DNA sequence: GTCTATAATTAGATAGAC
DNA sequence: GTCTATCTAATTATAGAC
């Protein structure tokens, strides 16, 4: 093939590849900025600069700032499921429901540390009612809330865990598991690196022991 | 006294009283708005409107938006100490260190529910390093962090509580105690009113049981 | 001290060249 | 698809009348 023909056939492909790259870089930059500052306080210019592109690219690829936010949140929850699944699969197989629950608590602690953006975006949004909050709760939070509370109810009715209300338990576990990573910049100022692997392991061990008793991992 | 004399002596006093009222209304409105939206996303116009005054009053009374934020945060931590002290004094007297710690956990849960603005402002600020975060950590967080970790170390060295790292414990307690109230609008969408008194009591009971064992309140 | 008017920046979104 | 230039609206802070 002559160079002219090669150009004619490959140039569109290269453009498509670059477009996909721009889109992904915008998503990643948006996650980081929205998690750090919240939706309103994040400027589309700051996101574009972090993504090494121009501000109007946001409207071209996502039509609006809010559409970019929703795409970034969807992307983030996909990654959460990946991380949790990988963690659960990497742990030794479990025989009973209580150690299965313990495994999920451990997995969620590691995911919260690995994806601090998730719980940061949640607390930025959850402090006031809004269309964005209603959207994220309907689409992502409620199914997870119901899965966790259902599992806890099952353990509770069998009498193998403490007699604690499921909503109390949900918020206590999520709050205890996420705050060290949501507030990592604060912890650093206090002289503690919560993103250190040994901290994360101690944290996961402590939460399993606290919420499921000293033998949380065994039968 | 003639009306003219009364006016001459009382008008300045009335103006001072109105000034103090404007200042206080701005402080309260600022707390509510900053807690809901975070510093950058809160407009001084919204604060002034909520305080039923004009936007330039903020610069007159506090010189800048950031100075208002600092005054509001100082005001908030004063109220936290009030609420915690009142709670601790209202509970039955304690005989040992473990039940004293349990009383403080209970008091903090009630304070977190009564002053959701406190932990909302903390999470809005703590997700990224900034001058405001450094200020609030140095002035308000560090002394409280050190008091709690010191008390836990004492209990731990006596072997009367679980063997959990003090930094892990601090963030787990604060996270578990505050999230239901920080995220109260989210919980409402899930169908749970976390600001209901019976929820708060169940929550406080659960945290004491979880972190201090089933006999947290006894010797 | 309170209030209106406004100055100086910055925001999200769009037009149009390439 | 990418990029520059720009429109409209909203921001914090200030000037000055009362």
């Amino acid at each position: 093939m002559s160079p002219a023909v090669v150009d004619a056939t490959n140039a569109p492909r290269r453009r498509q590849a670059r477009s996909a790259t721009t889109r992904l870089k915008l998503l990643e930059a948006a996650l980081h900025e929205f998690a750090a500052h919240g939706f309103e306080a994040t400027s589309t210019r700051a996101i574009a600069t972090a993504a090494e592109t121009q501000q109007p690219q946001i409207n071209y690829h996502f039509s609006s700032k809010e559409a970019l936010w929703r795409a970034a949140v969807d992307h983030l929850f996909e990654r959460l499921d990946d991380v949790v699944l990988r963690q659960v699969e990497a742990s030794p197989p479990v025989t009973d429901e209580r150690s299965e629950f313990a495994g999920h608590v451990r997995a969620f602690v590691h995911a919260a540390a690995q994806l601090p953006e998730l719980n940061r975006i949640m607390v930025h949004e959850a402090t006031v009612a809004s269309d964005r909050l209603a959207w994220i709760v309907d689409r992502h939070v409620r199914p997870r809330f119901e899965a966790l509370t259902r599992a806890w109810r099952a353990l509770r009715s069998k009498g193998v865990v403490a007699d604690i209300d499921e909503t109390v338990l949900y918020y206590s576990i999520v709050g205890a598991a996420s705050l060290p990573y949501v507030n990592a910049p604060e912890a650093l100022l206090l002289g503690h690196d919560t993103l250190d692997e040994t901290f994360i392991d101690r944290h996961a061990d402590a939460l399993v022991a606290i919420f499921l008793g000293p033998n949380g991992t065994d039968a």
Side-chain angles (χ1 to χ4, degrees), chain A:
Chain A
M1 276 191 275
S2 75
V5 174
V6 171
D7 278 8
T9 52
N10 286 356
R13 222 166 275 174
R14 260 183 273 126
R15 266 207 285 205
Q16 275 194 331
R18 193 184 170 198
S19 174
T21 303
T22 299
R23 213 190 115 92
L24 193 62
K25 289 206 299 190
L26 280 172
L27 275 180
E28 299 286 346
L31 270 186
H32 192 257
E33 296 295 317
F34 285 139
H37 306 105
F39 179 80
E40 310 272 10
T42 298
S43 80
T44 55
R45 278 178 169 80
I47 295 171
T49 301
E52 295 175 297
T53 185
Q54 296 75 37
Q55 184 259 343
Q57 295 284 55
I58 287 170
N59 296 279
Y60 177 76
H61 286 280
F62 298 94
S63 89
S64 74
K65 180 185 176 182
E66 185 151 341
L68 168 60
W69 180 86
R70 284 198 290 267
V73 169
D74 281 345
H75 182 61
L76 183 57
F77 275 93
E78 281 174 26
R79 282 170 54 184
L80 170 67
D81 288 338
D82 277 2
V83 171
V84 168
L85 196 67
R86 216 186 308 278
Q87 277 287 333
V88 170
E89 281 174 349
S91 350
V94 293
T95 50
D96 65 298
E97 281 178 301
R98 198 171 83 174
S99 54
E100 188 183 358
F101 194 94
H104 277 86
V105 170
R106 269 178 215 287
F108 183 68
V109 169
H110 281 90
Q114 210 170 322
L115 297 176
E117 293 85 1
L118 176 75
N119 294 296
R120 282 177 189 167
I121 287 178
M122 283 311 305
V123 291
H124 280 305
E125 293 299 328
T127 54
V128 68
S130 72
D131 287 348
R132 290 194 307 278
L133 179 61
W135 178 87
I136 203 170
V137 166
D138 282 344
R139 192 176 175 90
H140 296 294
V141 177
R142 185 172 291 118
R144 288 168 174 85
F145 172 81
E146 289 183 348
L148 189 145
T149 53
R150 200 182 311 122
W152 183 258
R153 271 198 304 275
L155 293 176
R156 199 180 161 199
S157 69
K158 288 184 178 171
V160 296
V161 293
D163 191 30
I164 294 171
D165 172 84
E166 64 221 40
T167 306
V168 167
L169 184 99
Y170 174 83
Y171 279 104
S172 300
I173 283 190
V174 174
S178 61
L179 196 64
Y181 316 111
V182 168
N183 283 13
E186 175 203 78
L188 267 185
L189 289 174
L190 290 172
H192 298 277
D193 181 7
T194 56
L195 295 174
D196 182 85
E197 277 296 329
T198 68
F199 178 91
I200 300 169
D201 286 335
R202 277 199 308 247
H203 184 214
D205 288 345
L207 292 194
V208 167
I210 279 173
F211 287 103
L212 293 161
N215 295 324
T217 324
D218 305 321

